[in-house]
Amino acid sequence: MSTLKKVLLGVILLTAVAVSGVHFFDLPHIAKAETNAAPPFTVTDMNGQTVSLASLKGKPVFLNFWATWCPPCVGEMPDIQRMYAKYGDKVHFVIVNIDGTKPDVTAFMENHAFSFPVALDTNGSAASAYAVQAIPTSYIIDADSNVVDSHIGALSAGDMESFVTSAFKNLKQKKKKRLLCSRFFYHALFI
């Protein structure tokens, strides 16, 4: 490969990396990486008890922001209920309503017969900490309080299962794959 082609390929790859990294740099504390510490949050559960990220250590956390008036949010709730029934003993489920009142959210949960835990973000601090700009928005946080993955929009049943179980995956394998990929691109550009 000629030097000109190598340089052109390098410029194209660097441009692609720079463009794809724009979102990463906008939200550095919630980007998809195993070592990103999850922002602390505090919400109030339906019994009036405070729930904080610090109180949830030891198990992964499925964190979901939603509203009762949001059709995609309501649409994924049956799948959240199934995941809660399946993984509720292995994963903390923190399903955060961003704008409802306690009576409205209680009535919603009772009308739909959902039993997963719901919390209220009455002052918007949790949604702000996670830079929530659209709902539903979900995060999976590992047992060490690191953000493993995030998703904007409703999750299908299969995607939700993969999303929830991603907290259990061996993080060393992911790091090894990234290292191999980095070496491949280095090799392609400079050798």
Side-chain angles (χ1 to χ4, degrees):
M1 183 181 289
S2 73
T3 304
L4 181 59
K5 285 183 181 179
K6 284 183 181 179
V7 170
L8 185 58
L9 178 62
V11 169
I12 291 170
L13 287 173
L14 289 174
T15 301
V17 168
V19 169
S20 67
V22 169
H23 182 68
F24 176 82
F25 291 115
D26 286 343
L27 307 171
H29 63 287
I30 58 171
K32 294 180 181 181
E34 295 79 18
T35 58
N36 285 340
F41 67 83
T42 302
V43 292
T44 305
D45 71 14
M46 299 307 285
N47 297 318
Q49 300 297 310
T50 298
V51 178
S52 67
L53 180 61
S55 70
L56 302 174
K57 293 206 181 216
K59 291 196 297 189
V61 177
F62 175 73
L63 178 63
N64 176 274
F65 294 92
W66 69 286
T68 57
W69 51 262
C70 166
C73 300
V74 175
E76 74 177 359
M77 295 261 168
D79 294 325
I80 292 174
Q81 181 64 44
R82 283 189 280 282
M83 291 299 103
Y84 178 67
K86 186 171 183 177
Y87 296 107
D89 61 331
K90 297 179 181 102
V91 176
H92 292 291
F93 282 74
V94 183
I95 313 304
V96 181
N97 183 276
I98 63 167
D99 72 340
T101 64
K102 184 177 177 179
D104 291 341
V105 174
T106 299
F108 175 88
M109 295 298 287
E110 288 173 357
N111 289 339
H112 291 86
F114 296 134
S115 64
F116 51 79
V118 173
L120 302 174
D121 187 17
T122 55
N123 63 6
S125 63
S128 179
Y130 283 80
V132 174
Q133 298 175 7
I135 53 173
T137 296
S138 300
Y139 295 88
I140 193 73
I141 301 167
D142 69 16
D144 296 322
S145 298
N146 295 306
V147 174
V148 174
D149 205 354
S150 62
H151 182 83
I152 298 171
L155 287 159
S156 68
D159 288 342
M160 188 176 293
E161 177 126 15
S162 296
F163 189 75
V164 169
T165 60
S166 68
F168 303 118
K169 291 182 181 175
N170 185 339
L171 300 180
K172 290 180 183 178
Q173 287 181 341
K174 288 183 181 181
K175 289 179 184 178
K176 184 177 179 181
K177 287 179 185 176
R178 268 201 310 272
L179 178 61
L180 290 174
C181 184
S182 298
R183 286 181 182 164
F184 170 77
F185 282 118
Y186 176 81
H187 182 75
L189 287 175
F190 301 107
I191 299 196

